[in-house]
Amino acid sequence: SYTYEVDCLSIGTHQFRLRQEDLGGGATLTDPAYVEVRMQDAARLGTPAPNPASTDATLSFSVKEQAETTIGLYNTLGQRVAIVYRGTPPAQEEQTVRIEASKRPSGTYFRRLRSGSQTRTQRLTIVR
């Protein structure tokens, strides 16, 4: 019996195999074990990478149910300075979008995901 814990797996199906190495140098692989990761929350907004950003930043998001979704970029005054994503993403599938940080002045910004009645907000710092 083996136990292995993995943090931060993306949504979807993942495959794991166990490799047993013998003292004599031989090795045996087990059959694959499949694990399906489903969404717990109604919406998920991943951490941008890199943060702080100087050129472009990539972020991931997903929604539990298919709905019109918008991700806006806001300054500290609460003014929307860009729409990063607008559309209807598939349910429970991780999506990736790029934020063009090189087009923005240095400072603190907030990314806000709105999907149906759900809202998620996270901070992004842009430096030059």
Side-chain angles (χ1 to χ4, degrees):
S1 175
Y2 296 93
T3 302
Y4 185 74
E5 188 173 314
V6 180
D7 291 330
C8 301
L9 285 177
S10 60
I11 297 165
T13 303
H14 300 272
Q15 174 181 314
F16 294 92
R17 296 180 82 175
L18 180 66
R19 178 184 168 111
Q20 178 180 330
E21 294 187 10
D22 301 327
L23 295 174
T28 306
L29 278 176
T30 64
D31 290 334
Y34 296 93
V35 176
E36 185 171 346
V37 177
R38 296 179 185 247
M39 288 190 66
Q40 300 288 327
D41 299 325
R44 183 180 137 325
L45 183 59
T47 304
N51 190 12
S54 59
T55 55
D56 291 344
T58 303
L59 68 98
S60 62
F61 73 95
S62 52
V63 293
K64 192 169 188 175
E65 295 179 10
Q66 191 172 13
E68 177 66 29
T69 302
T70 303
I71 299 176
L73 188 64
Y74 295 81
N75 62 20
T76 54
L77 298 174
Q79 299 165 326
R80 187 174 64 206
V81 296
I83 293 180
V84 178
Y85 176 87
R86 179 179 281 152
T88 307
Q92 299 197 30
E93 286 187 21
E94 190 167 82
Q95 305 293 311
T96 303
V97 294
R98 193 179 95 230
I99 297 174
E100 296 176 343
S102 59
K103 294 184 176 183
R104 304 276 161 229
S106 294
T108 300
Y109 294 85
F110 295 92
R111 297 165 296 110
R112 180 175 295 143
L113 176 144
R114 289 186 179 167
S115 181
S117 63
Q118 300 298 312
T119 302
R120 299 289 185 272
T121 304
Q122 289 186 347
R123 185 175 56 176
L124 170 67
T125 303
I126 296 177
V127 295
R128 297 269 161 230

